Short mmCIF file of all heavy atoms in Angstrom, two decimals:
data_model
loop_
_atom_site.label_atom_id
_atom_site.label_comp_id
_atom_site.label_asym_id
_atom_site.label_seq_id
_atom_site.Cartn_x
_atom_site.Cartn_y
_atom_site.Cartn_z
N THR A 91 -10.75 6.02 -224.70
CA THR A 91 -12.10 6.56 -224.78
C THR A 91 -13.00 5.75 -223.87
O THR A 91 -13.10 4.53 -224.02
CB THR A 91 -12.64 6.54 -226.21
OG1 THR A 91 -11.80 7.34 -227.05
CG2 THR A 91 -14.06 7.11 -226.26
N LEU A 92 -13.64 6.42 -222.91
CA LEU A 92 -14.57 5.77 -222.01
C LEU A 92 -15.98 6.22 -222.34
O LEU A 92 -16.24 7.43 -222.40
CB LEU A 92 -14.24 6.10 -220.55
CG LEU A 92 -13.11 5.28 -219.92
CD1 LEU A 92 -11.75 5.76 -220.42
CD2 LEU A 92 -13.17 5.36 -218.40
N SER A 93 -16.86 5.26 -222.57
CA SER A 93 -18.24 5.57 -222.94
C SER A 93 -19.18 4.96 -221.90
O SER A 93 -19.15 3.75 -221.67
CB SER A 93 -18.56 5.01 -224.32
OG SER A 93 -17.69 5.54 -225.31
N VAL A 94 -19.97 5.81 -221.27
CA VAL A 94 -20.99 5.36 -220.33
C VAL A 94 -22.34 5.44 -221.02
O VAL A 94 -22.76 6.53 -221.43
CB VAL A 94 -20.99 6.21 -219.05
CG1 VAL A 94 -22.09 5.73 -218.10
CG2 VAL A 94 -19.64 6.15 -218.36
N ASP A 95 -22.96 4.29 -221.20
CA ASP A 95 -24.25 4.21 -221.89
C ASP A 95 -24.21 4.92 -223.25
O ASP A 95 -25.15 5.62 -223.64
CB ASP A 95 -25.36 4.78 -221.02
CG ASP A 95 -25.58 3.98 -219.76
OD1 ASP A 95 -25.14 2.82 -219.71
OD2 ASP A 95 -26.19 4.52 -218.81
N GLY A 96 -23.07 4.79 -223.94
CA GLY A 96 -22.95 5.34 -225.28
C GLY A 96 -22.45 6.77 -225.36
O GLY A 96 -22.23 7.29 -226.46
N THR A 97 -22.25 7.44 -224.22
CA THR A 97 -21.73 8.81 -224.22
C THR A 97 -20.21 8.76 -224.05
O THR A 97 -19.71 8.38 -222.98
CB THR A 97 -22.35 9.65 -223.09
OG1 THR A 97 -23.76 9.68 -223.25
CG2 THR A 97 -21.79 11.07 -223.10
N PRO A 98 -19.43 9.11 -225.09
CA PRO A 98 -17.98 8.95 -225.03
C PRO A 98 -17.27 10.14 -224.37
O PRO A 98 -17.74 11.27 -224.42
CB PRO A 98 -17.59 8.84 -226.50
CG PRO A 98 -18.61 9.69 -227.21
CD PRO A 98 -19.89 9.56 -226.42
N GLU A 99 -16.14 9.84 -223.79
CA GLU A 99 -15.23 10.86 -223.26
C GLU A 99 -13.82 10.40 -223.60
O GLU A 99 -13.38 9.33 -223.18
CB GLU A 99 -15.39 11.01 -221.75
CG GLU A 99 -14.81 12.29 -221.17
CD GLU A 99 -15.63 13.52 -221.51
OE1 GLU A 99 -16.80 13.58 -221.11
OE2 GLU A 99 -15.07 14.42 -222.19
N ALA A 100 -13.11 11.20 -224.41
CA ALA A 100 -11.77 10.83 -224.87
C ALA A 100 -10.71 11.42 -223.95
O ALA A 100 -10.77 12.59 -223.58
CB ALA A 100 -11.55 11.31 -226.30
N PHE A 101 -9.73 10.59 -223.60
CA PHE A 101 -8.63 11.00 -222.73
C PHE A 101 -7.32 10.84 -223.50
O PHE A 101 -7.05 9.76 -224.03
CB PHE A 101 -8.59 10.15 -221.46
CG PHE A 101 -9.75 10.35 -220.54
CD1 PHE A 101 -10.98 9.76 -220.81
CD2 PHE A 101 -9.62 11.13 -219.40
CE1 PHE A 101 -12.06 9.93 -219.96
CE2 PHE A 101 -10.70 11.32 -218.55
CZ PHE A 101 -11.91 10.72 -218.82
N SER A 102 -6.51 11.88 -223.52
CA SER A 102 -5.21 11.80 -224.19
C SER A 102 -4.22 12.70 -223.48
O SER A 102 -4.60 13.74 -222.93
CB SER A 102 -5.32 12.19 -225.67
OG SER A 102 -5.70 13.55 -225.80
N GLY A 103 -2.97 12.30 -223.48
CA GLY A 103 -1.94 13.10 -222.82
C GLY A 103 -1.89 12.82 -221.33
O GLY A 103 -2.87 12.39 -220.72
N ALA A 104 -0.72 13.07 -220.73
CA ALA A 104 -0.50 12.75 -219.32
C ALA A 104 -1.33 13.58 -218.38
O ALA A 104 -1.47 13.23 -217.21
CB ALA A 104 0.99 12.91 -218.99
N SER A 105 -1.91 14.68 -218.85
CA SER A 105 -2.76 15.49 -217.98
C SER A 105 -4.17 14.91 -217.87
O SER A 105 -4.94 15.34 -217.01
CB SER A 105 -2.85 16.93 -218.51
OG SER A 105 -3.47 16.96 -219.78
N GLU A 106 -4.50 13.91 -218.72
CA GLU A 106 -5.84 13.33 -218.72
C GLU A 106 -5.86 11.84 -218.39
O GLU A 106 -6.81 11.37 -217.77
CB GLU A 106 -6.51 13.57 -220.08
CG GLU A 106 -6.76 15.04 -220.38
CD GLU A 106 -7.46 15.27 -221.70
OE1 GLU A 106 -7.62 14.30 -222.49
OE2 GLU A 106 -7.87 16.41 -221.95
N VAL A 107 -4.85 11.09 -218.82
CA VAL A 107 -4.76 9.67 -218.49
C VAL A 107 -3.29 9.30 -218.41
O VAL A 107 -2.51 9.62 -219.31
CB VAL A 107 -5.51 8.80 -219.52
CG1 VAL A 107 -4.98 9.03 -220.94
CG2 VAL A 107 -5.46 7.33 -219.14
N ALA A 108 -2.90 8.65 -217.30
CA ALA A 108 -1.49 8.37 -217.11
C ALA A 108 -1.32 7.18 -216.17
O ALA A 108 -2.16 6.91 -215.32
CB ALA A 108 -0.78 9.59 -216.53
#
Side-chain angles (χ1 to χ4, degrees):
T91 299
L92 279 76
S93 302
V94 179
D95 296 341
T97 301
E99 197 73 62
F101 293 78
S102 64
S105 64
E106 295 182 351
V107 57

